[in-house]
Amino acid sequence: MACHKKCCIKYAAVAILTFINLLNYIDRVTLAGILTQLQKSDQNGFGRPVTDFEGGLLQTAFIVSYMLLSPFFGYLGDRYTRKYIIAAGITLWSCFTLVGSFSVILLT
């Protein structure tokens, strides 16, 4: 019975991490998916449509920051306790997602 419980906990942990990873990948492509709406809309928080240059710059800034920070966090993951790094990352990600939901209010 104890072995069954340990297996369930392991599978639950894998399922939770898989779900978080799925959200992480969805988060990466969200900007590309809504860029055409940002370019056409006056309700995007900027008070005007986003130009092609600005949209490209926005995507580039996201990808470059992701590219530069990934090896750093990989290094941390190899050297320190991963569960604390994951918890800190999820907390930080959640905070920025929350702040992002208020971005239109903050820009107007």
Side-chain angles (χ1 to χ4, degrees), residues 1-66:
M1 188 68 155
C3 181
H4 179 70
K5 187 175 181 178
K6 285 184 180 181
C7 282
C8 288
I9 291 172
K10 289 179 182 180
Y11 283 120
V14 169
I16 290 169
L17 290 173
T18 301
F19 180 70
I20 290 169
N21 194 37
L22 173 68
L23 290 178
N24 187 23
Y25 278 101
I26 291 171
D27 195 33
R28 288 184 210 168
V29 297
T30 300
L31 182 59
I34 65 165
L35 189 59
T36 55
Q37 294 172 346
L38 283 174
Q39 290 177 320
K40 294 177 183 178
S41 175
D42 287 333
Q43 302 294 323
N44 59 15
F46 298 110
R48 60 177 174 73
V50 174
T51 65
D52 288 340
F53 175 78
E54 292 169 332
L57 189 61
L58 190 60
Q59 288 183 338
T60 301
F62 177 76
I63 294 299
V64 168
S65 65
Y66 189 85

